[in-house]
Amino acid sequence: MITKATMAQMPLSLKLGMILTMMIATMAFVSLVWTPYAVDQLNIAGRLQPLFHAQHWLGTDHFGRDILSMVMVGAQVSIAVALVAVGIGMAFGVPLGLTAAALEGTRFDDVIMRGNDLAFAFPALVIAILITAILGPSALNAIIAIGIFNIPVFARVARGGALTQWRMDYILAARVAGKSKTRISIEHILPNISTLLIVQGSIQFSLGILAEAGLSYVGLGAQPPTPSWGRMLAESQTMISFAPHLAIVPGLAIIITVLGLNLMGDGLRDWLDPRLKRDQRRQG
Amino acid sequence: MLKFIINRMMTLAISLIVASLVIFAAIELIPGDPAAFMLGINAAPDTVAALRQELGLDGHPVARYLRWVAGMMTGDFGQSYTYQVPVVDLVMARLGISLPLTLMALVLTILIALPVGMMAASKRNKAADWGIMGVTQLGIAIPNFWFAMILVLVFAIQLQWFSAGGFPGWDNGLAAGLKALVLPAVALALPQASILARVMRSAMIDVLSQDYIRTARAKGLSEKQVLLRHGLRNAMIPVVTILGLQFSFLIAGAIIIENVFFLPGLGRLVFQAITQRDLIVVESVVMLLVFSVIIVTFLVDIAYAWIDPRLRQSRLNLGAFR
Amino acid sequence: MPLLSVQNLNVQIGAHRVVDDISFTIHQGEVFGLAGASGSGKSMTALALMGLLPTHGVRSGQAVFNGQDLIASSEKTMQSIRGDQISMIFQEPMTALNPLMSIVDQVAEPILIHKGGSQNQAQDRALQLLDRVGVEAKSGNRHRYPHELSGGQRQRVMIAQAIALKPKLLIADEPSTALDVTTQAEILHLLARLVREDDMAMMLITHDLAVLAENTQNLAVMKDGKIQDHGITKTVFTAKKNSFTQSLIKASEFKSLPKKKPAKIAPGLLLDVDQIVVTYPKANTPAVDQVSLAIAPQESLGLVGGSGCGKSTLARAILGLEPLAGGTISMNGNQITAGQDIPPSTRAMMQIVFQDPFGSFNPRHRVGRLITEPFHALTTPPKDQTQAIAEALLDVGLDPDDQHKYIHEFSGGQRQRLAIARALMIKPNLIILDEAVSALDMVIKAQIIELLSSLRKKHGLSYLFISHDLSVIEAMTDRVLVMDQGQIVEQGPTQDVLKSPQHPVTKTLINAIPRIPKSWR
């Protein structure tokens, strides 16, 4: 439970990260029901309006589309892609890691770990290139590519955390009570590595935002007319000398999101970890 | 040590085989008929058949896979459908830009990150540390291609110190070539250097709290001697791990960054190949990228063993001591 | 003229005064003991003298060593003294050596730093030193690294680098505490020999009064940063002036225990282990090799042996957690078969208490849930468990309201009580106590042993008491087995085995125990 007292103990980075993340998330939610202008509303006469324009606070692009509206809708895409990709990574990676840890030293564990090492040889972009080459570009393919990339990351973190727990005597106590390895994994191991997983989740979330931006920048992500931060940057590139705000605004949106998530992850680790570690330190 | 290297080389070989199988399956088996795919929906059946033969697609998948692998080993990656030239020529020319770019970025990353990280660790919780931590936190959050665009805006368009893009070719002198790669390399290196500097800092702080550091102090070593003789080498273990992972990010980043600077590297080649449905080129470039990441992982493993004597013996089965 | 004269030394860490106005002297060639429980300030005293306090530590007072005040000296001067004039050995041999540097280089380092000279000369000298402390420095054709050595050997390397330059004063902070009892004795003998041969003074810091009784000429006893008792070692023990010292001595001897009366053991057989073998993959010899043992109802059986002798593996095999490569185990006549699930009725007859009071509980659950976990072993767990929880907590001397707390709210001793409560929960017939009191302070250890004795009487329990600590075995068990390299080498009634051991392993174990001389009691 988050009480006032625990709020006060939160590190500054966690608070700041939560504020930034909430800001972007709110923006994405609001855009579901309302944006200042429709994102497909072209207005060639009012194109390339500068920042702080009376009607278009963040200006307009070369088709006269409202940049604020596009950034808001773009947040939806970025967050959705990164979040679902984290979900894919956790849904497949965590059970794999937990199973490998429960069967430590067996052939299964060996195969999982070797497969994991190999999976790291395929960066998200390379997976995306492969998928796009076959299926063509789309936001869904970006999700799959980033999701696949996340699986070995979570498998490794879950296995590492779980192995530490398996060495603890309380696990032996549960086995003496006759509990199965599956039940122990779910009842004891998973809750005790949840901090690790949440922290890793926030890191992968922010990496996912960056990866999505990169993929849509090179045209392997969300396709027109869906606005996305990466493609806005790609389109702004030829106009950067006379309309730099077209590049700066979506860039800042990415930076704020990633910064927020990273600060939140770091803060969470600082906030949750010492409570778990304090016990162990007392032994010394 | 020799046993360790042989062991690692076995892993390397297996990794390469499995990776090539995955790529082959993805490109040549999943989409159905690659020839029809490459020609599009409206191609005449006999054109497709001709292309099938030209690409050598009629054989059994196993035979095709073996031919593909054998070809790669002898430097024959097949023929590009759109360019009508051997893929190996295309790739080699583009590699002449992508490889130096990645290496330059790697060197920059190391040169920036290690001193900055050590400085932050030694000034822990002081102003310099807070400043470095803030800047690197921001550095991690910046997408490299956006940073590249800002660099172009400032250094090419405003200050006109560098050209905004393109590549003069190595024929016009080493200096001109390198100069064209400076901005892309900086854009690539900054986010990775931010990550590595933070790793260096926390590794150093962690090592300095270890018991053996206290032992070294009790022997009468000065702070500097403690740091250089005992601290640095131990701190390098996590740093090397991260550096190995970063290489794959640098390679992927280079492919994207090339688009910002209109560099005719592997990135440009592969994206054009995707739009032109030139699967043979895509396949070869992807294999090359994965190959290089696997090789670097192998080198990192060797570097570990060089740093850490505990790894030089072939792996103990620690599970047995549970 | 003393070698070291400490006057009114104070150490402050943050707002906390950890060493409070202490004074003592050490003479050339003397072994001086500093005793006290953990947190009494004895280690901080040593670090203050070395100038190695944590960054936020502040020291004041005077410590004149060889005519020079260590407290007033600059860091530069201290660097020239450390490792040359004064050396220090720490408690944790596993972490105190640099894992990436060969042991020869680590021993050669103080020579290179203080005397210069070539790398080769320093290494040659280091090899001689390692030879002197009994460590083989080479394996195959290259130097060895710390991970290739056992804990005892690593501590010898630490000693070699500490005495490399024949310091005038050697500070040894719990040098043998982390080691098992035989190795502990070897390390202490080595230190005593080196001190004598090189005419060094040694400041020996430990919580173990028996170690100090055997090794020191003078000692000081610390509590809460202050020196409580001080003087010639024999006088401190025999004068019985200081009540705090007396309480420590009492605790270390388990004098508080009622003298053992012959236990009444019910007839019959509870646990029957017959010729069992446990092997680990990739190990050359079985961890447990054809071991047989039997426990009668209400009997307390001891199992002793050095670390790595296989005693914990044996315990896990009895609990059905290790597959057997041979032999049989039966509990109350029901066979426990390797590789098969133990039937709940049999499983419910056994429970275990572990050594580490910190790792024995899931930190995320409340006490009520933690100690009721064994109910899982019952086919029909009771509907209302509150009564059972309250009873178990009262049984081990805790409050029934404690069930709502989390584990981090308890001290080490209390946690061990909770572990016992958990074991009692389903009223087992046999409790395996795997080094259950080894991690505890002397005083708390004595309390837990008393608790275990009374619980045994109250509930008619059998114990399998596993320990490396013979004094605990003596206090707790009727019969004892001695284990070495996976095999039982000696067994018999506890009093007989301890009084007249037959097997060399048992003799070594018994002789290794530091004792306060009988005449001092």
Side-chain angles (χ1 to χ4, degrees), chain C residues 400-413:
Chain C
D401 286 341
D402 286 341
Q403 60 174 298
H404 304 297
K405 292 184 182 165
Y406 284 102
I407 195 69
H408 63 81
E409 298 171 56
F410 295 89
S411 71

Side-chain angles (χ1 to χ4, degrees), chain A:
Chain A
M1 287 303 291
I2 296 177
T3 61
K4 265 190 187 148
T6 55
M7 275 290 275
Q9 290 166 6
M10 276 187 190
L12 184 66
S13 56
L14 179 55
K15 290 180 193 158
L16 199 62
M18 286 197 337
I19 291 170
L20 292 179
T21 312
M22 290 300 247
M23 222 168 77
I24 300 287
T26 312
M27 207 168 83
F29 271 115
V30 170
S31 76
L32 288 172
V33 290
W34 176 82
T35 49
Y37 294 86
V39 288
D40 48 6
Q41 183 185 322
L42 307 188
N43 176 10
I44 303 300
R47 71 199 172 100
L48 293 178
Q49 298 292 348
L51 289 180
F52 313 120
H53 183 269
Q55 277 92 49
H56 304 277
W57 294 349
L58 297 181
T60 58
D61 72 354
H62 52 299
F63 293 124
R65 289 177 293 187
D66 181 52
I67 293 181
L68 177 59
S69 305
M70 290 173 76
V71 166
M72 286 172 72
V73 178
Q76 276 177 39
V77 179
S78 282
I79 290 175
V81 169
L83 204 57
V84 176
V86 169
I88 293 175
M90 279 197 180
F92 290 90
V94 173
L96 273 179
L98 284 178
T99 317
L103 303 175
E104 189 203 357
T106 63
R107 183 58 52 85
F108 178 86
D109 180 29
D110 229 36
V111 168
I112 291 295
M113 287 327 287
R114 288 295 166 102
N116 234 358
D117 288 347
L118 186 67
F120 279 109
F122 289 84
L125 182 73
V126 171
I127 304 172
I129 288 173
L130 270 176
I131 295 178
T132 313
I134 305 157
L135 303 174
S138 73
L140 182 65
N141 293 345
I143 290 178
I144 297 173
I146 301 168
I148 292 178
F149 171 75
N150 280 341
I151 293 172
V153 176
F154 281 104
R156 177 170 290 198
V157 170
R159 179 178 179 273
L163 282 182
T164 326
Q165 297 297 323
W166 275 105
R167 309 238 187 289
M168 307 276 271
D169 282 340
Y170 77 88
I171 297 295
L172 225 46
R175 291 178 67 193
V176 170
K179 290 187 175 168
S180 67
K181 284 193 166 183
T182 318
R183 177 153 183 186
I184 290 173
S185 289
I186 294 167
E187 191 175 303
H188 286 301
I189 310 269
L190 192 59
N192 276 296
I193 63 169
S194 60
T195 308
L196 271 180
L197 295 176
I198 292 169
V199 169
Q200 193 64 42
S202 75
I203 294 169
Q204 293 311 115
F205 194 175
S206 79
L207 282 177
I209 298 277
L210 282 174
E212 191 277 334
L215 289 178
S216 48
Y217 171 76
V218 292
L220 302 186
Q223 295 301 300
T226 316
S228 82
W229 294 343
R231 225 189 36 263
M232 288 171 76
L233 286 173
E235 287 169 1
S236 75
Q237 202 176 328
T238 50
M239 294 170 275
I240 196 166
S241 55
F242 54 90
H245 67 284
L246 292 187
I248 288 169
V249 171
L252 286 180
I254 298 171
I255 293 171
I256 290 170
T257 315
V258 175
L259 193 63
L261 287 167
N262 283 344
L263 285 173
M264 207 164 77
D266 285 4
L268 268 178
R269 189 173 40 213
D270 292 350
W271 188 47
L272 297 172
D273 239 22
R275 277 205 289 190
L276 296 174
K277 273 190 186 155
R278 213 178 297 152
D279 275 357
Q280 289 154 17
R281 257 189 241 128
R282 251 189 238 158
Q283 285 180 78

Side-chain angles (χ1 to χ4, degrees), chain B residues 181-237:
Chain B
L181 295 182
V182 167
L183 287 185
V186 170
L188 262 180
L190 179 91
Q192 300 304 327
S194 299
I195 295 173
L196 197 64
R198 294 173 77 91
V199 172
M200 182 73 212
R201 171 185 180 272
S202 64
M204 207 68 202
I205 288 173
D206 184 50
V207 165
L208 289 180
S209 72
Q210 297 291 316
D211 284 354
Y212 54 78
I213 296 294
R214 190 179 56 181
T215 306
R217 291 198 177 117
K219 285 185 200 173
L221 271 69
S222 68
E223 277 312 297
K224 200 172 150 195
Q225 285 168 324
V226 168
L227 207 68
L228 293 178
R229 296 178 68 102
H230 296 272
L232 198 55
R233 199 172 159 108
N234 277 289
M236 281 318 280
I237 293 175

Side-chain angles (χ1 to χ4, degrees), chain B residues 1 210-226 229-237 304 306-313 315-317 319-322, chain C residues 47 50 52 75 78-80 82-84 86-88 90-92 95-101 105-107 109-110 112-114 119 142 145 147-148 158 161 280-282 316 322:
Chain B
M1 183 78 185
Q210 297 291 316
D211 284 354
Y212 54 78
I213 296 294
R214 190 179 56 181
T215 306
R217 291 198 177 117
K219 285 185 200 173
L221 271 69
S222 68
E223 277 312 297
K224 200 172 150 195
Q225 285 168 324
V226 168
R229 296 178 68 102
H230 296 272
L232 198 55
R233 199 172 159 108
N234 277 289
M236 281 318 280
I237 293 175
Y304 268 146
W306 177 67
I307 296 174
D308 191 344
R310 285 166 293 190
L311 294 170
R312 276 176 221 159
Q313 286 133 352
R315 264 192 217 165
L316 281 169
N317 186 356
F321 298 98
R322 200 162 14 145
Chain C
L47 292 175
M50 292 289 283
L52 290 176
E75 168 64 17
M78 285 311 294
Q79 277 168 20
S80 67
R82 290 199 287 257
D84 185 17
I86 309 179
S87 285
M88 188 161 174
F90 301 99
Q91 174 173 1
E92 274 304 327
T95 52
L97 294 172
N98 184 343
L100 305 186
M101 201 188 251
D105 285 342
Q106 297 195 54
V107 175
E109 196 168 31
L112 278 170
I113 295 290
H114 291 287
Q119 180 94 19
R142 61 191 176 80
Y145 286 86
H147 71 274
E148 298 170 64
M158 278 298 289
Q161 66 184 18
Y280 285 128
K282 298 189 183 173
R316 284 206 300 271
E322 297 283 349

